[in-house]
């Protein structure tokens, strides 16, 4: 799951980046509205955290342009402003939710999980495709009698494969879900995580579709 944070406050930005990376998200951080806006034009994200008071381009303008481009990415507004007008305007412009600063990181993460679930069309905290069960809260996976807690990156990979059951994801698509701008990607890292998951859960847990990519076991 790739998240874009658009936030100029260094402390808030850094704590969000750290918390979300630890949670298995791949994170990009844009420190002003203009950079955020251009990132949204060039990259694909699963979720956006948007501050409203931003240098160069106001957050509401970033949001407005995003929705004008018909980009439906789930978006959570982070605002220090206690002005109700801003929040209402943000929601009217197409934000999915908002959080008023200061906020607890646990709450940000919980709201993110809700938005991602809603976007994927299910209301429960568990993804289940009939063969694999993935708990988005505990990062626990179950497959053919084996149950274990995944590392952040293993979880990110499994989540990507479980998000749309039956969908084959190319290595490039998986890399995009797993890594942000600042991460160095060596040429075979996706395979490394797939190898680790197969070793723990059995070879059949992730299938390789020749020339196309990978798909999660469905039986
Ligand atoms: Ca700000």
């Amino acid at each position: 799951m790739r998240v874009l944070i658009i936030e100029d406050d260094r402390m808030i930005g850094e704590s969000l980046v750290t918390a979300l990376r630890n949670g298995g998200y791949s994170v990009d951080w844009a420190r002003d509205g203009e950079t955020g806006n251009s990132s949204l034009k060039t990259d694909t994200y699963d979720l956006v955290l948007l501050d409203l008071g931003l240098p160069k381009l106001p957050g509401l303008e970033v949001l407005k342009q995003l929705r004008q481009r018909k980009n439906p990415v789930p978006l959570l507004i982070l605002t220090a402003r206690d002005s109700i007008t801003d929040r209402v305007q943000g929601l009217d412009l197409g934000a999915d939710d908002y959080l008023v600063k200061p906020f607890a990181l646990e709450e940000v993460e919980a709201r993110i999980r809700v938005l991602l679930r809603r976007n994927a069309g299910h209301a429960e905290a568990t993804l289940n495709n009939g063969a694999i069960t993935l708990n988005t809260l505990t990062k626990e996976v179950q497959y053919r009698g084996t149950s274990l807690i995944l590392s952040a990156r293993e979880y990110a990979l499994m989540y990507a494969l479980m998000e749309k059951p039956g969908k084959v994801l190319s290595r490039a698509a998986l890399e995009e879900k797993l890594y942000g701008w600042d991460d160095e990607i060596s040429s075979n890292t996706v395979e490394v995580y797939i190898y680790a998951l197969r070793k723990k859960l059995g070879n059949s847990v992730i299938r390789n579709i020749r020339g196309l990519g990978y798909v999660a076991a469905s039986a």
Side-chain angles (χ1 to χ4, degrees), residues 1 113-143 150 155-165 216-217:
M1 298 139 289
R113 285 194 296 268
V114 170
L115 288 185
L116 290 174
R117 286 206 299 267
R118 200 191 289 162
N119 195 47
H122 41 81
E124 322 79 43
T126 302
L127 302 181
N128 188 331
N129 70 357
I132 304 169
T133 305
L134 186 67
N135 187 321
T136 62
L137 215 57
T138 59
K139 301 186 173 36
E140 185 183 11
V141 69
Q142 288 176 322
Y143 177 64
L150 300 177
Y155 171 76
L157 183 77
M158 208 60 203
Y159 186 97
L161 290 167
M162 292 288 291
E163 206 177 9
K164 303 219 167 67

Side-chain angles (χ1 to χ4, degrees), residues 12-217:
I12 295 175
E14 277 174 0
S15 61
L16 282 171
V17 168
T18 307
L20 294 182
R21 286 210 175 125
N22 288 339
Y25 299 90
S26 107
V27 184
D28 292 337
W29 177 15
R31 291 159 179 81
D32 64 74
E34 230 169 66
T35 309
N37 198 38
S38 53
S39 307
L40 286 167
K41 286 181 194 166
T42 53
D43 289 66
T44 309
Y45 293 97
D46 297 295
L47 187 117
V48 181
L49 300 179
L50 176 70
D51 178 32
L52 289 187
L54 287 169
K56 294 188 185 172
L57 193 65
L60 285 176
E61 191 54 37
V62 174
L63 172 59
K64 197 170 140 191
Q65 292 188 24
L66 176 77
R67 297 309 191 212
Q68 272 170 356
R69 291 193 301 274
K70 307 278 179 226
N71 186 331
V73 61
L75 184 141
L76 179 61
I77 285 177
L78 309 172
T79 177
R81 305 183 191 186
D82 45 16
S83 152
I84 290 177
T85 324
D86 276 339
R87 277 180 252 157
V88 171
Q89 217 182 335
L91 293 170
D92 282 344
L93 283 172
D96 297 279
D97 200 358
Y98 67 85
L99 272 170
V100 179
K101 297 175 195 173
F103 44 74
L105 288 168
E106 291 85 350
E107 187 176 4
V108 182
E109 291 180 70
R111 299 278 184 107
I112 288 175
R113 285 194 296 268
V114 170
L115 288 185
L116 290 174
R117 286 206 299 267
R118 200 191 289 162
N119 195 47
H122 41 81
E124 322 79 43
T126 302
L127 302 181
N128 188 331
N129 70 357
I132 304 169
T133 305
L134 186 67
N135 187 321
T136 62
L137 215 57
T138 59
K139 301 186 173 36
E140 185 183 11
V141 69
Q142 288 176 322
Y143 177 64
R144 291 192 175 166
T146 307
S147 161
L148 60 109
I149 308 284
L150 300 177
S151 74
R153 285 267 157 85
E154 289 167 1
Y155 171 76
L157 183 77
M158 208 60 203
Y159 186 97
L161 290 167
M162 292 288 291
E163 206 177 9
K164 303 219 167 67
K167 190 174 175 189
V168 179
L169 289 172
S170 68
R171 193 172 86 172
L174 287 170
E175 272 172 359
E176 194 167 307
K177 298 269 186 195
L178 255 61
Y179 299 100
W181 298 332
D182 306 330
D183 296 314
E184 284 206 23
I185 311 172
S186 67
S187 59
N188 62 349
T189 43
V190 164
E191 281 87 348
V192 169
Y193 291 114
I194 287 173
Y195 176 81
L197 284 165
R198 281 177 172 161
K199 206 168 169 199
K200 291 173 187 172
L201 294 163
N203 269 333
S204 57
V205 68
I206 295 168
R207 285 201 299 138
N208 192 358
I209 311 289
R210 216 182 156 81
L212 289 175
Y214 299 95
V215 65

